[in-house]
Amino acid sequence: MKVNGITKKLEKEQSLYDFLVTEQYDLNRIAVERNGEIVPKAAYKTVLLQDEDKLEIVQFVGGG
Amino acid sequence: MELTVNGKKRRLECRTAFQVREKLGSPEDIVILNGFQIDEDCELSNGDTLTLIQKGVMPDAEELESMMMARHSPNVHNKIKKGKVAIAGLGGLGSNIAVMLARIGVGQLLLVDFDVVEPSNLNRQCYYVRHLGMAKTDALKEQIKEINPFIKVQTKTVKITEDNVKELFECYDIVCEAFDKPDQKSMLVNTALNELPDCKIVAASGMAGYESSNLIKTTKPMNRLYVCGDLKNGAKVGNGLMAPRVQICAGHQANMILRLLLGIEDC
């Protein structure tokens, strides 16, 4: 799987939610695109990641 | 030869720009030829746009518009004038972006913020002491009227939530995310990308402190999402928001919006 352009090995089948939590992303501060489509937050737990997936994860920091 | 002089089409028997000035203006007038202020005389071609500006004189409204737009290349100006841009959040980013977009003549702006101007805003946001206590929407609309009275400015003094994103922004080509809080940024970007299938979002992340200006970039991480900033330096205790980097980031966002309005999609 590719995450922000970097290859990541998927050790076991897991949901997008489990992946994000394991990687310590703050779910309230991100947006995730999977294979060119934005993933609604409500679908994080039902999306199962595949080896050929391409994820783009944007993390926002504060300030404006 | 057919020329547009101060917004009006005219037939003139002049070969050069300064001959037009001699005929219609006075020798001290500034001459702008097709978007560029000239100091030396230039040959004219059919269809050229010429603007003569008398210094220190208040022109009437119609002439003022053509003088203000004289610095834009004519085709560029027409595209920008058709642009519809919504700005979500009118703090350090949003207030400065709104003023830049007004200066370049974006035809329709929607300004959304629920808050009022308070003293700690003045270190970086585009407001004055006289605006303290005023709704940011009203304070900004008032300024834009004095900068470019020829664009449409709509305001909504409401808090943006998941429930009103679609209703607020569905008529706009571009939504500019200019919030302060990271969870709000995420909420707007997620909701807009999910619910507004045609709109592009220009967001910001990372502009606090006084690290190098050159770390601030424009990126396009997703199909319809642009993110400006250093992506790293969040505002926190000991690393506050300061005018220079906030305005650099606002400049990145405003320029990306301009590029999108001109049909350029890469950053």
Side-chain angles (χ1 to χ4, degrees):
Chain A
M1 180 170 80
K2 286 232 167 178
V3 180
N4 294 349
I6 296 162
T7 309
K8 277 238 167 207
K9 213 171 156 53
L10 268 177
E11 299 297 345
K12 56 178 184 338
E13 190 182 75
Q14 58 184 328
S15 67
L16 175 59
Y17 177 87
D18 289 337
F19 173 79
L20 293 169
V21 170
T22 313
E23 296 284 317
Q24 297 186 316
Y25 283 101
D26 180 340
L27 299 190
N28 289 318
R29 299 180 172 199
I30 58 172
V32 182
E33 192 183 61
R34 178 176 173 244
N35 304 327
E37 299 281 339
I38 180 83
V39 184
K41 285 201 172 175
Y44 285 2
K45 283 188 178 170
T46 53
V47 167
L48 289 179
L49 296 175
Q50 313 287 329
D51 279 335
E52 59 276 15
D53 277 350
K54 274 188 193 163
L55 294 185
E56 282 297 330
I57 305 170
V58 175
Q59 271 195 101
F60 291 100
V61 298
Chain B
M1 145 157 31
E2 284 270 356
L3 298 168
T4 303
V5 184
N6 287 12
K8 295 195 185 85
K9 286 224 179 335
R10 309 187 71 133
R11 266 200 102 76
L12 290 168
E13 297 311 315
C14 299
R15 279 185 309 104
T16 72
F18 284 7
Q19 285 174 10
V20 176
R21 178 170 69 180
E22 208 171 294
K23 203 175 169 84
L24 301 174
S26 60
E28 296 79 34
D29 287 358
I30 293 166
V31 182
I32 297 172
L33 173 60
N34 296 334
F36 186 73
Q37 185 173 330
I38 54 171
D39 299 321
E40 280 168 30
D41 204 4
C42 283
E43 293 263 339
L44 294 174
S45 310
N46 221 19
D48 278 349
T49 299
L50 209 65
T51 306
L52 306 174
I53 300 180
Q54 211 180 336
K55 279 193 191 173
V57 171
M58 186 65 190
D60 65 36
E62 197 186 329
E63 251 191 345
L64 176 63
E65 185 172 18
S66 83
M67 288 176 181
M68 284 175 53
M69 294 312 147
R71 270 304 178 96
H72 299 292
S73 314
N75 289 336
V76 168
H77 171 54
N78 292 336
K79 282 188 191 164
I80 301 172
K81 203 173 174 175
K82 287 190 203 123
K84 294 168 85 174
V85 179
I87 303 175
L90 304 176
L93 297 168
S95 62
N96 286 302
I97 292 165
V99 165
M100 284 186 267
L101 297 182
R103 287 193 193 281
I104 60 173
V106 173
Q108 279 191 57
L109 292 178
L110 171 67
L111 312 175
V112 190
D113 199 298
F114 70 93
D115 217 349
V116 296
V117 180
E118 41 101 348
S120 76
N121 300 149
L122 298 180
N123 83 323
R124 69 189 188 284
Q125 305 187 14
C126 192
Y127 302 105
Y128 304 110
V129 169
R130 68 180 148 90
H131 293 131
L132 293 176
M134 241 171 122
K136 287 183 175 179
T137 46
D138 295 335
L140 200 51
K141 191 173 181 173
E142 175 209 285
Q143 292 178 70
I144 290 175
K145 218 159 112 189
E146 291 184 45
I147 292 168
N148 185 350
F150 305 105
I151 62 171
K152 277 192 203 148
V153 180
Q154 272 211 303
T155 57
K156 294 267 166 73
T157 308
V158 294
K159 192 164 170 65
I160 299 168
T161 68
E162 272 175 331
D163 301 320
N164 61 11
V165 165
K166 188 173 181 196
E167 179 196 328
L168 281 167
F169 302 126
E170 65 187 344
C171 300
Y172 290 83
D173 312 318
I174 299 168
V175 173
C176 175
E177 179 284 305
F179 287 146
D180 186 34
K181 303 262 184 304
D183 53 335
Q184 285 290 101
K185 290 171 178 287
S186 161
M187 179 279 295
L188 177 61
V189 166
N190 276 286
T191 315
L193 286 174
N194 274 304
E195 296 183 10
L196 306 169
D198 299 319
C199 120
K200 297 190 172 68
I201 297 142
V202 180
S205 183
M207 77 299 294
Y210 45 87
E211 277 214 57
S212 169
S213 311
N214 297 334
L215 298 174
I216 293 175
K217 289 187 291 197
T218 302
T219 57
K220 189 187 181 195
M222 297 184 188
N223 261 330
R224 295 181 285 121
L225 175 67
Y226 297 83
V227 181
C228 304
D230 64 24
L231 311 176
K232 201 181 89 189
N233 285 292
K236 57 180 187 226
V237 178
N239 198 36
L241 293 161
M242 302 180 78
R245 287 185 109 237
V246 171
Q247 288 194 33
I248 290 166
C249 190
H252 270 259
Q253 285 182 284
N255 191 44
M256 194 60 238
I257 291 166
L258 170 59
R259 287 167 67 77
L260 288 171
L261 292 174
L262 296 175
I264 304 163
E265 301 216 335
D266 46 273
C267 40

